[in-house]
């Protein structure tokens, strides 16, 4: 009886430890890894979009000179283009992403200028 209890006590932790390795069909976890190239590209894309939004906002409220705004926008657009090229997107997908950038900048500009016009 004592031997049976000892075997059970040894098997329970062994099964718990081996369970993740024995599971099948759960390989999707590895694809969603934060260090994957697609996750890195997604973070770079979001950073470029945030930079464009920020530059647009700062320029619209007058905190950023025209020359600085153009330089920042050019830098962030270049980063967005590099990311799009690295993502190997089709032409239609690239056009959709570029139009998304334009919509976002227009939205920021309208919000800021709309507030200034309402105040003025």
């Amino acid at each position: 009886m004592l031997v049976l209890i000892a075997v059970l006590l040894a098997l329970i932790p062994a099964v718990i430890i081996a369970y993740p390795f024995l599971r099948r069909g759960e390989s999707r976890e590895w694809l969603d890894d934060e260090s994957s190239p697609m996750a890195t590209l997604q973070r770079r894309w979001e950073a470029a979009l945030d930079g464009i939004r920020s530059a647009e906002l700062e320029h619209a409220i007058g905190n950023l000179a025209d020359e600085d705004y153009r330089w920042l926008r050019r830098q962030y657009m270049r980063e967005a283009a590099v990311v799009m090229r690295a993502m190997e997107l089709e032409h239609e997908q690239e056009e959709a992403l570029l139009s998304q950038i334009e919509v976002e900048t227009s939205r920021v500009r309208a919000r800021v200028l709309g507030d200034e016009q309402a105040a003025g």
Side-chain angles (χ1 to χ4, degrees):
M1 183 69 165
L2 188 59
V3 174
L4 182 61
I5 293 173
V7 170
L8 285 176
L9 287 176
L11 283 178
I12 292 173
V15 170
I16 292 172
I17 291 170
Y19 178 73
F21 299 109
L22 298 176
R23 281 190 314 192
R24 293 191 183 144
E26 296 287 333
S27 62
R28 179 104 175 112
E29 289 177 19
W30 300 105
L31 297 176
D32 294 337
D33 185 17
E34 285 295 316
S35 64
S36 72
M38 277 311 276
T40 301
L41 288 174
Q42 185 66 30
R43 281 192 300 273
R44 286 177 60 191
W45 174 257
E46 291 299 323
L49 281 183
D50 289 341
I52 292 170
R53 285 184 201 120
S54 176
E56 185 69 35
L57 176 64
E58 292 294 321
H59 182 257
I61 61 176
N63 289 345
L64 196 60
D66 289 340
E67 182 180 319
D68 294 335
Y69 166 71
R70 284 191 296 274
W71 183 82
L72 279 173
R73 183 171 169 87
R74 194 170 34 247
Q75 293 298 322
Y76 288 124
M77 290 297 278
R78 188 174 298 133
E79 175 66 14
V82 167
V83 170
M84 285 187 341
R85 218 173 297 124
M87 287 180 165
E88 299 174 351
L89 301 174
E90 295 180 9
H91 182 70
E92 295 81 23
Q93 292 171 322
E94 287 179 7
E95 291 297 323
L97 289 174
L98 288 175
S99 67
Q100 177 188 1
I101 290 173
E102 291 302 320
V103 167
E104 287 289 329
T105 56
S106 298
R107 191 176 300 155
V108 169
R109 189 177 303 133
R111 184 176 40 203
V112 171
L113 294 178
D115 290 345
E116 285 180 5
Q117 290 173 356

